[in-house]
Amino acid sequence: MRAFVRLVLSLLLAAAAPLADAAAEDVDLELVLLADSSGSIDDAEIRFQRQGYADAVTDPMVLSAILDNAHGKIAVTYVEWGNAASQDVVVGWTVIDGADAARRFAEALMTAPRRAYGRNAIGSALLKGKRLIEESGHRGVRRVIDLSADSANSWNGPPLETARAEVVAAGIVINGLAVLCRHCSGRPVRYDLEEAFARLIIGGPGSFVVTADSRATFADAVRKKLILEIAALPPERNIAALSGPQVRFGSDGEARGK
């Protein structure tokens, strides 16, 4: 009897799978924005970071990049991360297909309270991003996790190397925003943060690191990063078309140096 019940359940699940897939919304990009909310980031800096993303997502160049793609829309969610037990979805999955949707996303981002705290657990943050993509209800041509941080250290949770490998194996690209500006979050004093991002964090075809090296360039770095991710052009065409913060690529299409 139990075997029969299990058989019936498996058949029902198998029948439901195509229906669930058919209900998924097609988008050009599924994008998880993982923003640093660890102990080195105070509440004023949290707001500053959010404002940078709010300004970028409503920027005409970003909206133009979205509309120029095949489906003309992306799905994006904004997550703040701290320690292994603290990742907060600040704004859930939102389809952006024009200025109105972008404005609503920006408003939600600026009004939600801070809930993530603790010492860096980048591996946990990456795996959180992977789960969100897998459960998004969207079907993206591309899938990207974008992690911003003022440090490449991961003090708790799953090993960073293991988490990165699992994300990349799932066909998800990891890009990075290295935050160097002292008046935003501070710069590690004992190592090259961009090099550490390239070596330890980013991964997948065309992955890259964008640098925010001053308070004034933070919003521009976020804008540039979003355009690179949305447009999905070859790296040399992206870099030629955009000015501002540095982007690191290597000969294999992944960022490996300045």
Side-chain angles (χ1 to χ4, degrees), residues 42-74:
D42 64 26
D43 287 348
E45 291 162 349
I46 287 289
R47 184 166 184 82
F48 174 79
Q49 288 184 155
R50 292 186 183 184
Q51 188 66 62
Y53 280 92
D55 291 344
V57 80
T58 55
D59 185 274
M61 289 184 67
V62 172
L63 293 173
S64 177
I66 293 172
L67 296 175
D68 283 346
N69 275 311
H71 297 291
K73 54 187 175 181
I74 67 171

Side-chain angles (χ1 to χ4, degrees), residues 61 223-224 227-228 233-244:
M61 289 184 67
R223 177 185 63 85
K224 182 173 188 176
I227 292 172
L228 290 172
L233 296 171
E236 63 275 11
R237 288 180 61 190
N238 280 321
I239 301 308
L242 297 170
S243 61

Side-chain angles (χ1 to χ4, degrees), residues 180 187-188 190-197 199 248 258:
L180 309 184
R187 180 185 181 115
R190 290 185 292 275
Y191 63 94
D192 182 329
L193 183 58
E194 300 100 313
E195 186 278 331
F197 259 73
R199 178 168 45 86
R248 292 190 172 198
K258 272 189 179 177

Side-chain angles (χ1 to χ4, degrees), residues 25 50-51 54 69 86-87 91 102 123 139-140 151 173 187 225:
E25 182 174 7
R50 292 186 183 184
Q51 188 66 62
N69 275 311
S86 187
Q87 302 99 35
V91 183
R139 186 167 47 216
S151 164
V173 172
R187 180 185 181 115
K225 177 169 58 69

Side-chain angles (χ1 to χ4, degrees), residues 56-213:
V57 80
T58 55
D59 185 274
M61 289 184 67
V62 172
L63 293 173
S64 177
I66 293 172
L67 296 175
D68 283 346
N69 275 311
H71 297 291
K73 54 187 175 181
I74 67 171
V76 59
T77 181
Y78 188 96
V79 181
E80 287 174 344
W81 58 272
N83 63 31
S86 187
Q87 302 99 35
D88 177 50
V89 178
V90 180
V91 183
W93 284 109
T94 303
V95 172
I96 297 180
D97 55 3
D100 289 343
R103 176 180 47 78
R104 289 192 294 270
F105 181 89
E107 290 174 353
L109 180 58
M110 296 308 298
T111 56
R114 175 183 185 171
R115 300 186 188 91
Y117 297 89
R119 207 174 186 201
N120 286 27
I122 296 177
S124 297
L126 292 177
L127 294 180
K128 174 70 172 182
K130 175 177 177 287
R131 288 192 298 273
L132 286 170
I133 286 176
E134 292 171 342
E135 300 167 1
S136 72
H138 302 286
R139 186 167 47 216
V141 177
R142 290 170 289 112
R143 306 188 298 171
V144 174
I145 291 173
D146 190 318
L147 183 130
S148 65
D150 64 357
S151 164
N153 296 318
S154 191
W155 301 109
N156 56 96
L160 178 49
E161 181 179 5
T162 302
R164 179 178 69 170
E166 183 176 332
V167 171
V168 172
I172 299 170
V173 172
I174 305 169
N175 295 328
L177 172 64
V179 181
L180 309 184
C181 42
R182 290 186 179 277
H183 298 296
C184 302
S185 313
R187 180 185 181 115
V189 295
R190 290 185 292 275
Y191 63 94
D192 182 329
L193 183 58
E194 300 100 313
E195 186 278 331
F197 259 73
R199 178 168 45 86
L200 300 173
I201 296 175
I202 69 167
S207 58
F208 62 85
V209 180
V210 173
T211 301
D213 58 6

